């Protein structure tokens, strides 16, 4: 008799940052997870180099905050857009001060080190089955599961999971199987990425610089430690094969560094894309990260967007698998995440229009527009969910992340809340809730706090609220000013039908 095919809760194709983050989140929730990764080890060269405060908060939620802070540095001076005359036109703010998520707003890192931390984190969960050197070859779906044909050195085998998530990159076979089309948002441009390791101290900027020179647009990044990166726009007349040769590379960066001062680590030409998929879920199959959206790197938000996907999707998969929520909750994943992803991509495309100007007259007109005043300072689009699993009725804070203050005992708020829903409010307000409401809190496994600390009391005062309800991903379900309003917004907490 044939051996029964194992049934996992979730299968993940791809063990890059998005897949590894999703596996950690589901592992922390106690879910059985199969991770398929066709490579046998971490890709050793630099790729993503930036994450933000919300991403650090997600990493904190699976107990990896300290490990990640040990390999990252805060970006204290932001990003400066400088024209050919050396004038700063535009600045994205940066600070090492604690932001709303309980960390700095920006960090720089070396991706292989981050991936090593995430993979080591998975070793904590015996029910997470990581299979390196295993490639997803084919998918079929049944009413209750997805069938995965897996190819590896020993042959092929078929495995099953109740849900399968494609975290398998820009060419995603899972997306192709689902038939989810990509919508192009308007930027497709080849750039040369050149990474070096400094051999000695060099007088280079501490912050990221976008050199908006029409003769050759470039980006400089102070990564972490001795690591530095230049991104160099490929022009139509360039010989691409010659461009990646050492002589060409060092000539391009000669104003800043020489081969005596730095070691060549990697040079590769990439095409920067701006695309977003239509259809992130098809029954038992879902997409996350580059499989469903790709952005130019001018904001450093590509990996961040994938980590946000994982945080949004993980608690919903867990709630559905636990029977606390109907399967339709998974349909809120795309509707919630896509608007913010699209806003980020569109801003990156607009910035690309500033950076990539190669016409001298257009560049002069651009410079004149910015020269009219002091350098403009801009921030990222606000972290706001699209329509989904929260109260939409006129509350400006609903669908936004709740801040993470430090508590009187020294802990950060999420260390108290864990990965659970939370009902936080003044005791009188919570005691006035209807019995059916308090029962819903219990059934949804929400933590209830009826003596909020001063910082949270101040937040409630500032929003004229008696209580606030938070989702496991720390986004706000809604705020309540009255007992009936608390009863109403509590209906958004997922419980078994």
């Amino acid at each position: 008799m044939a051996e029964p095919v194992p049934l996992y809760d979730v299968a993940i194709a791809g063990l890059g940052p998005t897949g590894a983050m999703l596996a950690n989140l589901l592992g922390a929730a106690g879910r059985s997870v199969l991770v398929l990764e066709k490579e046998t080890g971490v890709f050793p060269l630099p790729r993503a180099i930036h994450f933000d405060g919300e991403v650090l908060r997600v990493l904190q939620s699976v107990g990896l905050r300290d490990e990640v802070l040990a390999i990252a540095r805060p970006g204290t001076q932001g990003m400066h857009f400088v024209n050919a005359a050396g004038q700063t036109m535009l600045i994205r703010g940066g600070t090492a001060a604690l932001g709303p998520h309980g960390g700095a707003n920006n960090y720089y890192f070396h991706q292989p080190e981050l991936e090593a931390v995430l993979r080591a984190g998975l070793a904590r969960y015996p029910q997470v089955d990581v299979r390196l050197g295993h490639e997803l070859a084919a998918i079929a779906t049944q009413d209750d599961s997805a069938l995965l044909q897996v190819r590896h050195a020993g042959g092929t085998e078929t495995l099953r999971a109740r849900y399968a998530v494609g975290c398998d990159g820009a060419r995603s076979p899972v997306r192709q199987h689902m038939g989810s089309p990509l919508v192009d948002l308007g930027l497709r441009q080849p750039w040369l990425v050149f990474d070096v390791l400094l051999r000695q101290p060099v007088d280079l900027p501490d912050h990221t610089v976008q050199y908006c020179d029409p003769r050759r647009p470039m980006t400089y990044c102070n990564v972490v430690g001795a690591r530095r990166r230049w991104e160099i726009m490929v022009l139509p007349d360039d010989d691409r094969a010659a461009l990646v040769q050492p002589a060409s590379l060092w000539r391009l960066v000669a104003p800043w560094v020489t081969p005596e001062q730095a070691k060549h680590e990697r040079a590769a030409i990439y095409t920067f894309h701006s695309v977003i998929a239509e259809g992130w879920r098809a029954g038992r199959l879902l997409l996350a990260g580059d499989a469903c959206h790709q952005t130019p790197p001018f904001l450093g938000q590509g990996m961040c967007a994938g980590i946000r996907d994982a945080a949004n999707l993980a608690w919903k998969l867990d709630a559905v698998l636990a029977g606390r929520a109907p399967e339709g909750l998974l349909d809120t994943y795309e509707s919630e995440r896509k608007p913010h992803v699209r806003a980020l991509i569109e801003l990156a495309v607009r910035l690309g229009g500033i950076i990539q100007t190669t016409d001298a007259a257009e560049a002069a007109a651009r410079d004149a527009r910015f020269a009219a005043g002091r350098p403009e300072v801009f921030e990222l689009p606000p972290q706001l969910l699209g329509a989904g699993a929260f109260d939409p009725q006129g509350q400006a804070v609903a669908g936004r992340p709740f801040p993470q203050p430090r508590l009187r005992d020294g802990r950060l708020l999420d260390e108290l809340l864990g990965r659970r829903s939370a009902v936080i409010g003044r005791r009188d307000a919570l005691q006035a809730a209807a019995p059916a409401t308090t029962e819903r809190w219990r059934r949804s496994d929400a933590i209830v706090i009826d003596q909020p600390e001063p910082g949270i009391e101040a937040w409630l005062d500032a929003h004229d609220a008696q209580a606030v309800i938070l989702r496991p991903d720390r986004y706000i379900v809604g705020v309540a000013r009255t007992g009936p309003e608390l009863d109403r917004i509590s209906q958004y907490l997922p419980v078994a039908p």
Side-chain angles (χ1 to χ4, degrees):
M1 181 178 294
E3 290 290 327
V5 177
L7 177 63
Y8 296 85
D9 288 329
V10 180
I12 298 170
L15 192 56
T18 299
M21 187 74 251
L22 181 59
N24 270 279
L25 289 163
L26 291 169
R31 293 289 145 206
S32 62
V33 182
L34 169 68
V35 185
L36 303 171
E37 169 54 55
K38 65 181 180 180
E39 304 299 333
T40 56
V42 172
F43 185 73
L45 297 177
R47 286 184 288 178
I49 59 172
H50 168 268
F51 64 83
D52 57 32
E54 186 177 16
V55 168
L56 179 65
R57 189 174 185 179
V58 179
L59 290 158
Q60 174 196 329
S61 73
V62 292
L64 297 177
R65 178 187 173 98
D66 290 345
E67 289 85 346
V68 170
L69 288 178
I71 62 166
R73 70 167 186 89
T76 59
Q77 298 185 45
M79 176 190 296
H80 294 212
F81 294 71
V82 178
N83 66 15
Q87 299 165 324
T88 299
M89 303 182 293
L90 190 64
I91 297 173
R92 179 185 166 197
T95 174
L98 291 188
H101 294 287
N105 285 332
N106 299 288
Y107 293 89
Y108 288 86
F109 72 102
H110 180 48
Q111 183 170 332
E113 293 179 340
L114 177 66
E115 290 198 38
V117 168
L118 288 167
R119 293 187 184 197
L122 293 176
R124 299 170 295 176
Y125 310 118
Q127 79 281 13
V128 176
D129 182 3
V130 177
R131 302 198 184 190
L132 303 179
H134 284 59
E135 182 176 6
L136 179 61
I139 312 170
T141 54
Q142 301 175 323
D143 289 342
D144 64 346
S145 62
L147 291 176
L148 313 171
Q149 188 179 59
V150 181
R151 183 186 303 120
H152 50 79
T156 61
E157 63 181 308
T158 299
L159 300 166
R160 286 197 306 151
R162 293 176 66 183
Y163 293 95
V165 185
C167 301
D168 48 350
R171 297 182 179 87
S172 174
V174 176
R175 185 188 68 238
Q176 293 174 28
H177 175 84
M178 291 167 59
S180 300
L182 291 175
V183 176
D184 195 323
L185 299 182
L187 190 148
R188 183 183 298 268
Q189 173 63 45
W191 280 68
L192 166 65
V193 178
F194 180 36
D195 287 286
V196 307
L197 286 167
L198 297 181
R199 304 179 193 269
Q200 62 191 61
V202 180
D203 185 17
L204 291 168
D206 289 335
H207 54 279
T208 296
V209 183
Q210 301 283 359
Y211 292 103
C212 306
D213 184 340
R215 293 168 298 181
R216 175 75 75 175
M218 299 177 69
T219 301
Y220 159 79
C221 301
N222 174 7
V223 185
V224 66
R227 297 184 179 281
R228 301 294 183 269
R229 169 177 292 180
W230 280 266
E231 295 173 354
I232 303 162
M233 185 171 162
V234 177
L235 302 178
D237 293 336
D238 283 332
D239 179 335
R240 296 192 185 188
L243 202 61
V244 297
Q245 297 304 309
S248 297
L249 295 169
W250 292 114
R251 185 173 62 252
L252 288 166
V253 300
W256 299 281
V257 71
T258 68
E260 291 73 33
Q261 296 171 316
K263 176 185 176 183
H264 171 183
E265 186 175 29
R266 180 191 70 148
I269 292 175
Y270 293 91
T271 298
F272 293 167
H273 294 283
S274 58
V275 296
I276 191 164
E278 294 288 348
W280 299 12
R281 180 189 178 210
R284 298 276 165 183
L285 307 179
L286 300 111
L287 302 172
D290 285 355
C292 53
H293 45 72
Q294 296 146 50
T295 181
F298 304 124
L299 287 171
Q301 282 291 307
M303 188 194 78
C304 297
I307 299 294
R308 287 188 175 94
D309 291 347
N312 186 290
L313 185 56
W315 76 267
K316 294 175 179 177
L317 282 167
D318 179 51
V320 170
L321 288 163
R324 291 194 306 271
E327 194 175 39
L329 178 64
L330 298 176
D331 290 328
T332 67
Y333 163 56
E334 179 178 358
S335 65
E336 287 184 350
R337 286 287 303 128
K338 184 183 284 186
H340 187 247
V341 169
R342 187 175 186 118
L344 285 171
I345 296 174
E346 289 174 345
L347 176 56
V349 169
R350 288 197 297 274
L351 294 175
I354 295 171
I355 299 159
Q356 296 182 153
T357 300
T358 55
D359 181 274
E362 289 181 11
R366 174 201 65 197
D367 295 353
R369 288 196 306 273
F370 282 106
R374 297 173 62 186
E376 177 185 338
V377 178
F378 75 98
E379 298 294 343
L380 297 181
Q383 295 152 335
L384 176 63
L385 300 176
F390 61 92
D391 178 28
Q393 296 188 17
Q395 298 184 9
V397 295
R400 297 180 185 271
F402 192 74
Q404 183 182 207
R406 197 167 285 281
L407 306 178
R408 284 174 293 195
D409 63 7
R411 289 182 298 171
L412 289 163
L413 175 64
D414 292 0
E415 295 176 77
L416 170 65
L417 302 183
R419 295 292 301 179
R420 300 163 63 188
S421 297
V423 180
I424 306 173
R426 298 182 172 96
R427 178 170 294 178
D428 289 348
L430 300 193
Q431 288 179 342
T437 296
T438 57
E439 173 63 12
R440 190 174 189 91
W441 299 343
R442 186 192 66 77
R443 291 171 57 207
S444 68
D445 192 34
I447 182 172
V448 179
I449 298 173
D450 62 4
Q451 289 184 294
E453 295 210 7
I456 298 175
E457 285 254 25
W459 189 94
L460 293 172
D461 289 339
H463 293 86
D464 189 27
Q466 295 297 310
V468 61
I469 296 181
L470 311 180
R471 309 184 332 176
D473 60 359
R474 304 283 72 92
Y475 276 72
I476 298 170
V477 175
V479 296
R481 298 169 180 84
T482 65
E485 199 166 37
L486 181 57
D487 294 336
R488 179 175 59 77
I489 64 173
S490 294
Q491 299 306 304
Y492 287 88
L493 289 172
V495 297

